[in-house]
């Protein structure tokens, strides 16, 4: 019974971390692309959101995900194969996370006019999050 409670707790931490991580990524992007604020101020606020919300949530997702995978590696890597796709999507999101953080830093420093990654960024983040959630819930293969 204790092992099941740990698995559920880790899964819950992973899901909550993902919600905060993707939400904070989208919030920081919205701030960085704001036209109501001076560019440097928008960059400072986006960077603060990134450092205070996005990064800690990312580490929660990573730690809970790794811990959860270590409890059932055969289930995730052999019995079901969706995890290969889910982890690939996670790597893409991690890359976007790092690129966004670097862009917000440059915008905050005033060396870049905008930190926003483009109008496609929120759709890509939402698409990855939705696809990952679908894979985790439906386990299609």
């Amino acid at each position: 019974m204790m092992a099941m409670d740990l698995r559920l707790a880790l899964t819950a931490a992973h899901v909550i971390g993902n919600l905060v991580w993707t939400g904070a990524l989208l919030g920081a992007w919205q701030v960085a692309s704001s036209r109501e604020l001076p560019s440097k101020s928008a960059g400072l606020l986006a960077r603060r959101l990134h450092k205070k919300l996005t990064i800690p949530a990312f580490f929660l997702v990573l730690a809970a995900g790794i811990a959860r995978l270590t409890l059932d590696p055969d289930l995730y890597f052999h019995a079901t194969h969706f995890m290969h796709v889910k982890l690939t999507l996670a790597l893409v999101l991690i890359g976007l996370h790092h690129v966004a953080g670097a862009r917000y830093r440059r915008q905050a420093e005033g060396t870049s006019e905008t930190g926003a990654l483009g109008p496609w960024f929120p759709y890509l983040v939402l698409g990855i999050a939705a696809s990952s959630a679908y894979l985790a819930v439906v386990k299609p293969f």
Side-chain angles (χ1 to χ4, degrees), residues 13-53:
H14 187 70
V15 170
I16 291 166
N18 270 307
L19 289 171
V20 175
W21 183 30
T22 56
L25 274 172
L26 295 173
W29 174 85
Q30 185 66 43
V31 168
S33 59
S34 172
R35 294 177 192 227
E36 289 82 27
L37 295 171
S39 178
K40 190 170 181 176
S41 296
L44 287 167
L45 184 54
R47 182 152 167 77
R48 184 171 186 187
L49 282 169
H50 191 75
K51 289 172 83 172
K52 299 288 183 177
L53 286 174

Side-chain angles (χ1 to χ4, degrees), residues 12 14-15 18 22 27 32 35-36 57-58 66 75 82 88 93 95 116 134:
H14 187 70
V15 170
N18 270 307
T22 56
R35 294 177 192 227
E36 289 82 27
F58 163 72
I66 289 171
L75 173 66
F82 74 93
T88 301
L93 194 58
Y134 174 82

Side-chain angles (χ1 to χ4, degrees), residues 52-74:
K52 299 288 183 177
L53 286 174
T54 307
I55 292 172
F58 163 72
F59 281 115
L60 175 61
V61 169
L62 185 65
I66 289 171
R68 184 65 183 97
L69 285 174
T70 59
L71 292 176
D72 290 315
D74 285 337

Side-chain angles (χ1 to χ4, degrees), residues 83-111:
M83 190 55 66
H84 296 84
V85 177
K86 190 172 179 292
L87 291 175
T88 301
L89 291 171
L91 288 174
V92 171
L93 194 58
I94 290 167
L96 290 171
H97 164 98
H98 287 292
V99 169
R103 302 245 347 216
Y104 303 150
R105 180 182 45 77
R106 287 194 301 273
Q107 183 181 12
E109 293 169 348
T111 58

